[in-house]
Amino acid sequence: MKNMIKKGMALGLGLVVASKEQAKKMVDELVKKGELSREESKELVDQLVQKGNETQKELDQMVSKRIKELFGELNLASKDDIKRLEQRLDQLENRENKPD
């Protein structure tokens, strides 16, 4: 039963738990209900926080990748594109302003 609770929480709540305080509060409820001991609760909190952090990193990477894909599909200029154009304009202006 305890393993099933741990697995379920690590899987389901790992997506939601973003801070140690949130994890601790949830685990404290399980301790109050007698479903976990104090020793087990610390380990579970650590696991939930770790899973939450891993999930957050994965989500950030997926969002970043998708945003780049969308910008690519829209053919929008990137910062690098704009910087190259600015440099090219500077070169043209300098060439134009130079006396022959």
Side-chain angles (χ1 to χ4, degrees), residues 9-18 48 51-53 55-56 58-59:
M9 289 183 67
L11 179 63
L13 299 177
L15 299 172
V16 178
V17 176
L48 289 171
K51 181 69 175 173
N53 290 337
T55 303
Q56 184 65 45
E58 290 172 12
L59 181 61

Side-chain angles (χ1 to χ4, degrees), residues 6 27 38-49:
K6 286 182 184 180
V27 171
R38 283 282 172 203
E39 295 81 28
E40 292 170 320
S41 70
K42 182 182 180 328
E43 182 181 325
L44 183 56
V45 167
D46 291 342
Q47 289 174 357
L48 289 171
V49 169

Side-chain angles (χ1 to χ4, degrees), residues 8-26:
M9 289 183 67
L11 179 63
L13 299 177
L15 299 172
V16 178
V17 176
S19 72
K20 191 169 185 171
E21 294 81 25
Q22 288 173 319
K24 183 152 178 38
K25 183 177 178 181
M26 293 170 58

